[in-house]
């Protein structure tokens, strides 16, 4: 038990250090970071704007009201944003395999899956999480209100969704060892997750 706690502390410290390095790397060019943040935020804004315009002409879509749709879209934005912030490097595994640089990543003296998963992230995707949280608060305020137990269960379900999204993404990326041009798998993953 003591060994497990020390391993968790070690990997949490490594995780924090990797996130710090990611932020430093992104902030080396602040204008690029702000442009990326603005682009992500604009994309999220246009998604919300699309639903707002659609619901200005109708009251519901298949029984779903505007605020219920906002809750679903906000939840997806949060999970997707966390995926991009923490696990963005998974998307480049096939490029590292083709270039032969994955060996340098795997030879580090820490767990391979941990390092490949958390090596780099996209900090500007915090805009997805911020937009998702705003949508959730708007939806909760206008529909059911706030309940501590529901909020706790919702957060557990979000964590569960993030874990499932990560596992599915990792399984698809593992195929890159046999199929070097697996960039089309990302489209498959998007279709499975969205639908």
């Amino acid at each position: 038990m003591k060994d497990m706690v020390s391993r968790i502390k070690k990997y949490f410290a490594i995780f924090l250090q990797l996130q710090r390095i990611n932020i430093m790397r992104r902030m080396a060019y602040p204008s690029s970071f702000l442009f990326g943040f603005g682009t992500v935020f604009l994309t999220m804004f246009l998604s919300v704007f699309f639903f707002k315009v659609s619901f200005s002409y109708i009251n519901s879509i298949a029984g779903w009201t505007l605020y219920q749709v906002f809750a679903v879209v906000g939840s997806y934005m949060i999970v997707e944003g966390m995926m991009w912030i923490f696990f963005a490097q998974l998307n480049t595994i096939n490029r590292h395999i083709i270039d032969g640089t994955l060996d340098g990543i795997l030879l580090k003296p820490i767990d391979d899956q941990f390092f490949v998963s958390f090596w780099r992230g996209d900090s500007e995707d915090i805009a997805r999480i911020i937009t998702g949280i705003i949508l959730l608060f708007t939806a909760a305020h206008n529909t059911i209100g706030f309940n501590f137990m529901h909020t706790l269960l919702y957060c557990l379900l979000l964590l569960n969704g993030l874990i499932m999204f990560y596992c599915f993404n990792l399984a698809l990326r593992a195929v890159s060892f046999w199929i070097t041009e697996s960039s089309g798998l990302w489209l498959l993953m998007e279709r499975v997750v969205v639908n």
Side-chain angles (χ1 to χ4, degrees):
M1 182 69 173
K2 187 176 179 182
D3 185 45
M4 185 175 78
V5 170
S6 67
R7 280 178 57 91
I8 290 173
K9 282 183 180 179
K10 172 187 168 187
Y11 281 102
F12 186 68
I14 293 170
F15 169 76
L16 290 178
Q17 186 67 21
L18 288 172
Q19 293 305 312
R20 185 173 154 265
I21 291 169
N22 283 333
I23 291 172
M24 287 171 46
R25 184 176 51 85
R26 289 293 188 185
M27 293 308 288
Y29 302 98
S31 57
S32 175
F33 174 80
L34 291 174
F35 183 74
F37 182 86
T39 303
V40 171
F41 191 76
L42 181 64
T43 305
M44 299 299 104
F45 173 77
L46 290 175
S47 298
V48 173
F49 183 71
F50 168 76
F51 286 112
K52 194 74 173 157
V53 168
S54 298
F55 276 94
S56 67
Y57 294 104
I58 55 175
N59 292 329
S60 66
I61 297 176
W64 290 73
T65 65
L66 173 65
Y67 295 110
Q68 290 171 334
V69 171
F70 277 177
V72 172
V73 171
S75 301
Y76 178 74
M77 286 179 182
I78 290 172
V79 171
E80 186 183 33
M82 291 174 75
M83 248 335 253
W84 279 107
I85 288 173
F86 297 128
F87 311 117
Q89 190 59 27
L90 285 175
N91 296 329
T92 60
I93 286 178
N94 59 341
R95 188 187 52 139
H96 285 294
I97 291 170
I98 293 169
D99 294 344
T101 56
L102 188 63
D103 296 344
I105 297 169
L106 296 178
L107 291 174
K108 306 287 188 238
I110 60 173
D111 184 65
D112 298 335
Q113 181 180 346
F114 176 84
F115 195 60
V116 166
S117 299
F118 291 108
W119 183 39
R120 286 200 181 142
D122 293 338
S123 309
E124 65 269 5
D125 282 296
I126 191 81
R128 293 179 197 276
I129 296 175
I130 292 169
T131 309
I133 290 172
I134 291 170
L135 284 177
L136 285 177
F137 275 110
T138 304
H141 178 72
N142 288 300
T143 54
I144 59 170
F146 295 98
N147 180 332
F148 176 75
M149 198 61 189
H150 290 162
T151 305
L152 181 65
L153 288 173
Y154 174 77
C155 289
L156 287 173
L157 286 173
L158 269 186
L159 180 64
N160 187 28
L162 178 65
I163 291 169
M164 288 172 36
F165 197 16
Y166 167 76
C167 290
F168 189 67
N169 194 356
L170 186 64
L172 282 179
R173 299 301 166 200
V175 174
S176 298
F177 286 99
W178 297 281
I179 305 170
T180 55
E181 290 300 322
S182 61
S183 57
L185 291 176
W186 177 252
L187 297 172
L188 172 66
M189 189 179 120
E190 275 189 342
R191 293 293 160 237
V192 169
V193 170
V194 171
N195 294 328

